[in-house]
Amino acid sequence: METQGRTASLIKEDGQLLASLLEIEDRNYRRLLRLAWRQNSYMRRQNVDRLETNAQEWSVYLPRANEARIARERFVGEMGDSIGRPIPPNKMTDILHFTDADTRRKVFSAIKILQDTTMRLARQNDLNRNLAEYCLDLAGEESKMFQRCLTEDPDGCYDGDAKPNGRGPGGVLHRQA
């Protein structure tokens, strides 16, 4: 019986540390979420310089987020080992059966916040991927039209004095997408 009480108190302390690790992980993913929002804005404005800077920031903060996740997963594994129950990383709530209600509430709250952040990040990354695909498709179509204009209809691109006409390639595109 004493072992059970000692395990519960150990788990309470560990539960508080787990909540802290989840909060650190959430902060890292929130940073990535802000970068994803900026990335979307920069793609829409076709701001290549800021996109490059944003990509450099991703290369700094993504490893930090991964490190925070790995640290949390290792800690959950250590908690499971300490009570003789292996806990898979996606089942960390299983270990909370061995702690008090207050600690359980704190950890569940931290888990919910982290899940919300990671879902928002995944959604924004998906939106950015779709926007990038659209931009690539649009650029491909523009280049095909320009190529067609130059190879098939040189009169459509240039006036009689060999100056570009005001209509743009093929008389179709005249503004940047």
Side-chain angles (χ1 to χ4, degrees):
M1 194 70 166
E2 185 179 325
T3 305
Q4 182 72 1
R6 284 182 30 207
T7 302
S9 68
L10 173 70
I11 297 302
K12 179 177 181 169
E13 293 167 5
D14 287 348
Q16 292 172 352
L17 184 54
L18 177 58
S20 176
L21 289 171
L22 288 162
E23 290 168 6
I24 292 168
E25 188 176 357
D26 182 64
R27 275 196 303 271
N28 281 286
Y29 282 118
R30 284 181 187 275
R31 177 68 166 176
L32 293 177
L33 180 58
R34 284 191 298 274
L35 290 173
W37 287 333
R38 290 179 191 163
Q39 181 182 35
N40 184 279
S41 172
Y42 300 152
M43 280 192 292
R44 282 186 281 118
R45 290 186 281 152
Q46 299 179 3
N47 191 331
V48 177
D49 293 334
R50 292 227 174 147
L51 274 170
E52 184 177 339
T53 300
N54 193 282
Q56 289 170 354
E57 288 186 52
W58 268 94
S59 69
V60 170
Y61 292 107
L62 183 58
R64 290 181 186 178
N66 287 333
E67 289 170 8
R69 177 187 47 79
I70 290 167
R72 187 247 317 148
E73 289 174 351
R74 282 186 183 144
F75 185 72
V76 168
E78 291 170 5
M79 286 176 69
D81 291 344
S82 74
I83 61 167
R85 297 185 117 188
I87 306 292
N90 61 341
K91 289 287 199 171
M92 74 178 119
T93 56
D94 289 356
I95 204 153
L96 297 177
H97 298 293
F98 299 94
T99 190
D100 63 292
D102 186 48
T103 303
R104 191 171 24 252
R105 200 173 17 261
K106 286 178 185 175
V107 174
F108 274 124
S109 175
I111 290 170
K112 174 74 171 119
I113 290 168
L114 177 62
Q115 287 174 336
D116 289 347
T117 301
T118 56
M119 286 175 46
R120 291 169 55 203
L121 177 60
R123 183 177 183 280
Q124 188 61 52
N125 282 337
D126 191 48
L127 291 170
N128 289 355
R129 182 186 51 77
N130 288 335
L131 180 59
E133 287 175 1
Y134 172 77
C135 290
L136 288 172
D137 288 345
L138 186 60
E141 290 299 317
E142 287 179 352
S143 64
K144 285 178 190 175
M145 291 170 69
F146 186 72
Q147 178 186 17
R148 197 169 44 246
C149 169
L150 291 176
T151 58
E152 298 171 8
D153 184 18
D155 292 334
C157 294
Y158 300 98
D159 64 15
D161 296 328
K163 294 181 182 173
N165 67 27
R167 295 178 296 162
V172 178
L173 298 174
H174 65 290
R175 298 179 80 181
Q176 193 174 22

